[in-house]
Structures are given as structure tokens and as C-alpha cells.
């Protein structure tokens, strides 16, 4: 990029866009107080979509400037800040892939709010744009303090999105989400302070090469995993997720499942494995056990749900169990599978929440029993729903298959019992997803309110079609992702083995 600070521009462009949104709102606001006119609402949302689309364009520019054959961090920007702390940004294949997922999903989320959000639209858009800055910052920060600032700051806009624009129990869900994630992160902060004092630097590249004593690694690993386990989330600290998903607006659920959950897996790959390799190896059986429990238990819980959003939320916990399995397999195929699974799940789960949002906007209920026979009134909707149902089950030809099979193969090489337990989750996912699809799409229409329900409109098409295209594309050509993340996987394994 010729020295151009593309990462800083990409990170803070949404924040600058939040200011622009306020200016647009001031210029187009109606004379009435407390209500947003239709013209002002559309102008605010359009401005936000344009800004987030520009951020995606910046991430694409970063992608083309990235050398996929090189190892280590690229596009690095570094400026002295205070003592051992610096403003340092950079990306490798792992972080760049998650950045692109973030910048791709954000404009879709904002566009999906076009008809569903009609109160405090300016504040809603600002919260989303600020959240995007913090999410990108997590993945590009190469300084421990800078990472923690972005990691924790993201709680605030997400807390507001759930607590203000959510359902009837939104305040309870927002506080539960906030407290769970904050308490876990406080332990990580204590560990970070120790690491900076011990190594004399907050730089990731310095800390990756610093040899912490094995007994110290144990405590540091536990402190970090306390935060990442909640964020992922892992069983048994997953209970905040279904409440947050059910109460969040549709776009909030999309970004929560699509990006925020991935911060837990990213943290394990960025910190737990390369910086605390001895502790990671010691806790491998423990992590396998938690992964298998999460996959099997939450799949069974998902099967018994009556709320569509809650079912998909429990499904997310199960699919994140595959991510944990692949990460702690400590082999190339497992880690590649885990990264692929994170990206694939971001697309599929985001699409499923949008699918639920389509009928919720029309019927104002997420109860499965309220539906049935939708295929006769919404054939296009039923087709998209079928695609993402099959992808979530792991049908070959979709991205869902690639991530699950690779994590299980990697897990099989490390522990046969763990892979066998995870395989049960694949069976259970077919049970609950096909049951959901049958009960909502097939059968006779028994609810009179469904007799004149309309199929997907243009905005809903624009939001869901790109997700469908990528789900199929990555299922057929997974090397598009592997070519980007291969060098990162090799580097993580090298650092674990003590290489440079």
C-alpha cells in the first residue's frame, strides 16, 4: 500500500461515519420531537450502509495488498504510545479473514434494519458503526493493551443494541450478556498486566517469543480462557447467549453470532496456543471434554426449543464446540478446520437469524407452532431456508460441511473419542434443523394469519442472497479461504513447537 495506513483507515472509518450520521440526521430531521420521520430514517440508514460498505471496500484493498505466501504480520503500523505500550496494528491470514467477515456482515445488518427499526434510528446506527470499529480493532491490534481496549469496548454498543432495541426482556438479557463477558475479561486483564511486566513489552511479537515458565503458563492460560470461553461461548458458561439472541433485534443477533462469538476462537489461536503452549497441551483433554459436551448437550437442548431464535442460538453453541475441537487438536487440519468453521458459521448462522427475522417482521412471533405451510405462500423464502438448513446440518457442497469434517478429522488424529463424540452432534443437528424446517415450511396452513403472508421483498433478497452465494462458493472451493489462512496456521504450530 506504499505506506498508506490502510488498517487505521479501515478501523476508524465507521467511527468517523458515526459522526457523519449525526450530521445527516440533523440536516434531514423533521420538525416533530421524539419521532424520526420516514425521510430522516431512510437517510440515516442509507448513510450508515454507505459507510459500512466503504469499510468493506477498505478491507478488500487490504486483502489485495496482503501477501498470502508470506508468514508473520503484514501491513503493520506502529507508533510509540506510553512506555511498553504502543499503537500497533497488523494482520495475518487469520485476522484478515475475520476482518473481512466483519466488514461484510455489518452493511447487511444495517440494511436488514431498513424496515424493522423505526425508533431512535440515529442512535441505533451510531451504536452499530461504533461496534464495527471495535470489532475490527480486536482483529488488527498487535498490542496487548490496545487489544484489551477494543475487546472490552465492544461490550458497550452491543449492550445498548440489545437493551434498547431488543424484546420485552431486553434489559435482563443485556445485563446478563454484559456481566458474563466482563467478569471473565477481568481475569484476563490481570494476566495481561503480569505479562507486560514480565516481558517488558505489550507487543504481540515479543510476547509470542517470550518463554513463560510452565507453572506461570498454567495461571495465565486459565485467566485468558476464562474470557474466551464466555465469548465463544463454551459449556457451561453459555447460558447468556440464548437470552441475548432471543431479545436482540435481528441485526443484533446476526452480528453477535457472526462476529462477536468468533473473538473467543480468535483469542485461543492468538494467545492460548502460541503464548502458553505447555499449558495448552496440559489442558487439551479438558478442552476436548468441554467441546464434546457442548456439541452433544446443546444439540439436544436445541431439539426441544419452541422459539426459532433460541433453537438457532443453541445450535451456535454446538457449532462453536467444533471450533474448540479443531483448535486443540494441535494439527494443521484441525486448526484450518476451526478457522474455516468460524467463517462458515458466521455466514450460515447470520443467514438463519435473517431468515427468522423475515417472518418475525410479518407475524411478530418466533414460536414454531405459529407457522406451517409457508412453502405455499413464500416459495423463495422456503428455498433460501432450505439451503441454510442443509448448510447448518453440514451437507456436502456447502461451507458447513468443510468446517465440520476438517475439525473432526483433526480431532480424530488427536483423540478418537473426542471426534466420535462430536460426530453425534452432526446427527443431532440434522434432527433439530430438519424438524424446524418441516414444522415451519411444510404441512397445511393452520394459522389464518398466514393466508396472505408475502414472500421476501427486495431488501431481504439483497441481504440474504450474498450469504447464500458465499455459503455455496466456499463449500465448493474452500481453498479460497485455506490459501489465506495456511501461513497463519503454520506459524501458530511453529510457535507452539518453539520455532520462530
Amino acid at each position: 500500500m506504499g505506506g498508506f495506513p490502510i488498517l487505521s483507515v479501515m478501523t476508524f472509518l465507521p467511527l468517523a461515519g458515526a459522526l457523519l450520521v449525526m450530521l445527516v440526521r440533523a440536516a434531514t430531521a423533521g420538525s416533530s420531537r421524539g419521532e424520526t420521520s420516514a425521510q430522516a430514517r431512510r437517510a440515516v440508514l442509507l448513510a450508515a450502509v454507505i459507510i459500512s460498505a466503504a469499510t468493506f471496500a477498505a478491507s478488500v484493498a487490504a486483502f489485495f495488498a496482503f501477501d498470502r505466501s508470506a508468514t508473520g504480520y503484514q501491513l503493520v503500523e506502529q507508533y510509540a504510545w506510553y512506555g511498553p505500550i504502543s499503537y500497533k496494528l497488523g494482520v495475518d491470514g487469520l485476522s484478515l479473514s475475520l476482518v473481512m467477515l466483519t466488514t461484510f456482515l455489518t452493511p447487511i445488518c444495517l440494511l436488514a434494519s431498513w424496515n424493522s427499526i423505526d425508533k431512535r434510528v440515529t442512535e441505533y446506527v451510531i451504536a452499530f458503526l461504533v461496534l464495527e470499529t471495535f470489532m475490527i480493532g480486536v482483529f488488527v491490534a498487535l498490542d496487548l493493551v490496545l487489544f484489551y481496549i477494543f475487546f472490552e469496548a465492544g461490550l458497550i454498543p452491543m449492550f445498548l443494541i440489545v437493551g434498547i432495541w431488543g424484546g420485552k426482556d431486553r434489559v435482563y438479557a443485556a445485563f446478563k450478556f454484559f456481566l458474563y463477558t466482563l467478569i471473565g475479561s477481568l481475569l484476563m486483564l490481570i494476566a495481561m498486566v503480569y505479562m507486560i511486566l514480565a516481558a517488558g513489552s505489550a507487543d504481540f511479537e515479543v510476547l509470542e517469543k517470550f518463554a513463560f515458565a510452565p507453572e506461570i503458563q498454567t495461571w495465565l492460560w486459565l485467566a485468558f480462557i476464562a474470557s474466551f470461553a464466555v465469548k465463544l461461548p463454551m459449556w457451561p458458561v453459555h447460558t447468556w447467549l440464548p437470552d441475548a439472541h432471543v431479545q436482540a433485534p435481528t441485526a443484533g443477533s446476526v452480528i453477535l453470532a457472526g462476529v462477536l462469538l468468533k473473538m473467543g476462537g480468535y483469542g485461543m489461536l492468538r494467545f492460548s496456543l502460541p503464548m502458553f503452549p505447555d499449558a495448552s497441551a496440559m489442558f487439551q483433554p479438558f478442552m476436548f471434554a468441554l467441546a464434546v459436551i457442548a456439541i452433544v448437550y446443546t444439540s439436544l437442548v436445541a431439539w426441544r426449543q419452541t422459539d426459532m431464535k433460541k433453537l438457532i442460538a443453541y445450535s451456535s453453541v454446538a457449532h462453536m464446540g467444533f471450533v474448540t475441537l479443531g483448535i486443540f487438536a494441535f494439527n494443521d487440519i484441525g486448526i484450518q478446520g476451526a478457522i474455516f468453521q468460524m467463517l462458515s458459521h458466521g455466514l450460515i448462522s447470520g443467514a438463519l437469524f435473517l431468515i427468522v427475522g423475515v417472518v418475525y417482521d410479518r407475524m411478530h412471533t418466533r414460536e414454531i407452532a405459529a407457522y406451517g405451510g409457508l412453502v405455499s405462500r413464500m416459495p423463495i423464502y422456503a428455498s433460501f431456508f432450505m439451503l441454510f438448513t442443509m448448510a447448518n446440518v453440514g451437507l456436502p457442497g456447502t461451507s458447513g460441511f468443510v468446517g465440520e469434517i476438517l475439525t473432526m478429522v483433526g480431532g480424530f488424529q488427536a483423540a478418537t473419542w473426542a471426534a466420535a463424540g462430536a460426530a453425534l452432534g452432526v446427527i443431532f443437528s440434522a434432527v433439530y434443523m430438519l424438524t424446524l424446517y418441516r414444522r415451519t415450511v411444510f404441512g397445511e396452513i393452520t394459522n389464518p394469519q398466514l393466508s396472505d403472508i408475502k414472500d421476501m421483498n427486495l431488501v431481504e433478497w439483497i441481504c440474504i442472497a450474498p450469504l447464500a452465494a458465499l455459503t455455496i462458493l466456499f463449500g465448493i472451493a474452500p481453498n479460497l479461504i485455506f490459501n489465506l489462512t495456511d501461513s497463519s496456521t503454520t506459524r501458530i504450530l511453529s510457535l507452539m513447537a518453539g520455532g520462530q
Side-chain angles (χ1 to χ4, degrees):
M1 298 301 294
F4 182 75
I6 184 64
L7 297 186
S8 291
V9 170
M10 179 179 64
T11 301
F12 295 103
L13 181 58
L15 199 60
L19 176 61
L20 176 62
V21 165
M22 287 189 285
L23 296 176
V24 170
R25 174 67 179 89
T28 60
S31 59
S32 60
R33 296 182 180 179
E35 295 293 334
T36 305
S37 68
Q39 180 185 7
R41 182 174 66 84
R42 293 191 185 98
V44 166
L45 284 168
L46 180 60
V49 170
I50 293 172
I51 290 295
S52 58
T55 306
F56 175 65
S59 71
V60 172
F63 171 80
F64 283 110
F66 185 82
D67 183 359
R68 283 165 287 189
S69 64
T71 58
Y73 299 109
Q74 302 180 42
L75 308 178
V76 175
E77 305 169 24
Q78 185 170 15
Y79 307 97
W81 193 359
Y82 179 78
I85 304 169
S86 64
Y87 173 85
K88 184 176 182 180
L89 306 180
V91 291
D92 61 359
L94 166 63
S95 53
L96 182 57
S97 62
L98 290 170
V99 165
M100 297 196 71
L101 177 66
T102 303
T103 59
F104 176 74
L105 287 178
T106 302
I108 291 177
C109 288
L110 290 165
L111 193 59
S113 307
W114 192 264
N115 296 316
S116 59
I117 301 297
D118 55 7
K119 295 182 179 179
R120 298 183 177 179
V121 179
T122 301
E123 293 85 349
Y124 175 84
V125 160
I126 290 171
F128 246 100
L129 292 175
V130 172
L131 177 61
E132 183 177 17
T133 282
F134 294 149
M135 292 188 298
I136 295 172
V138 167
F139 300 129
V140 302
L142 293 183
D143 180 274
L144 212 54
V145 174
L146 191 62
F147 169 85
Y148 186 81
I149 291 172
F150 283 127
F151 191 83
E152 287 300 280
L155 293 178
I156 299 171
M158 194 64 211
F159 172 82
L160 296 175
I161 290 169
V162 176
I164 296 176
W165 293 276
K168 64 178 181 178
D169 295 324
R170 58 187 179 274
V171 174
Y172 165 78
F175 273 97
K176 189 174 183 180
F177 156 75
F178 190 88
L179 291 175
Y180 264 68
T181 49
L182 178 64
I183 291 172
S185 298
L186 290 177
L187 296 174
M188 183 174 69
L189 176 61
I190 296 172
M192 286 181 171
V193 172
Y194 175 87
M195 292 168 66
I196 294 172
L197 294 176
S201 175
D203 192 313
F204 280 19
E205 293 183 285
V206 173
L207 293 168
E208 287 172 345
K209 299 173 184 177
F210 189 85
F212 294 99
E215 61 274 13
I216 296 299
Q217 282 191 34
T218 300
W219 293 107
L220 296 175
W221 187 93
L222 288 171
F224 273 80
I225 212 68
S227 178
F228 300 147
V230 172
K231 206 80 168 183
L232 195 60
M234 296 176 62
W235 181 89
V237 289
H238 67 285
T239 57
W240 64 269
L241 183 64
D243 291 323
H245 271 311
V246 168
Q247 298 305 320
T250 297
S253 292
V254 173
I255 210 68
L256 178 59
V259 180
L260 291 179
L261 301 191
K262 309 307 178 287
M263 293 180 185
Y266 174 78
M268 293 176 187
L269 290 169
R270 184 64 76 219
F271 297 97
S272 302
L273 268 61
M275 296 185 188
F276 320 123
D278 295 332
S280 295
M282 183 176 70
F283 285 105
Q284 183 190 50
F286 173 69
M287 296 300 287
F288 278 162
L290 292 183
V292 171
I293 292 172
I295 293 170
V296 175
Y297 170 73
T298 55
S299 293
L300 292 173
V301 174
W303 180 37
R304 305 308 301 165
Q305 297 306 306
T306 60
D307 183 295
M308 288 191 284
K309 254 194 174 184
K310 189 167 283 190
L311 185 151
I312 298 169
Y314 279 110
S315 172
S316 291
V317 179
H319 282 86
M320 289 298 97
F322 285 98
V323 172
T324 306
L325 175 68
I327 290 173
F328 283 87
F330 300 154
N331 52 48
D332 181 78
I333 194 169
I335 294 177
Q336 283 274 42
I339 298 172
F340 193 100
Q341 176 74 350
M342 286 195 288
L343 298 172
S344 171
H345 178 264
L347 299 174
I348 296 169
S349 66
L352 285 171
F353 282 116
L354 288 173
I355 288 288
V356 174
V358 169
V359 291
Y360 179 79
D361 288 344
R362 291 158 171 76
M363 297 289 293
H364 304 292
T365 179
R366 293 182 295 268
E367 289 296 316
I368 299 172
Y371 297 95
L374 289 177
V375 67
S376 63
R377 291 290 182 269
M378 306 176 70
I380 297 174
Y381 173 84
S383 300
F384 277 119
F385 198 173
M386 172 61 80
L387 169 64
F388 293 114
T389 295
M390 293 296 100
N392 203 49
V393 169
L395 183 73
T398 66
S399 61
F401 170 77
V402 179
E404 288 186 3
I405 193 67
L406 291 183
T407 55
M408 285 192 290
V409 171
F412 185 85
Q413 294 178 1
T416 305
W417 64 269
L424 291 175
V426 178
I427 300 172
F428 294 149
S429 69
V431 173
Y432 64 73
M433 285 304 301
L434 292 177
T435 300
L436 170 66
Y437 190 81
R438 176 183 61 81
R439 293 180 63 188
T440 55
V441 175
F442 292 137
E444 299 293 330
I445 294 180
T446 57
N447 186 345
Q449 297 179 10
L450 294 175
S451 60
D452 59 351
I453 192 170
K454 303 297 184 183
D455 210 339
M456 292 170 54
N457 58 40
L458 179 61
V459 171
E460 292 161 346
W461 255 94
I462 294 172
C463 291
I464 295 177
L467 297 172
L470 290 182
T471 298
I472 296 173
L473 176 63
F474 292 148
I476 297 173
N479 278 340
L480 293 173
I481 292 178
F482 294 147
N483 291 339
L484 179 62
T485 60
D486 181 64
S487 60
S488 299
T489 302
T490 302
R491 184 170 182 271
I492 290 169
L493 292 172
S494 175
L495 288 168
M496 285 195 70
Q500 303 299 329

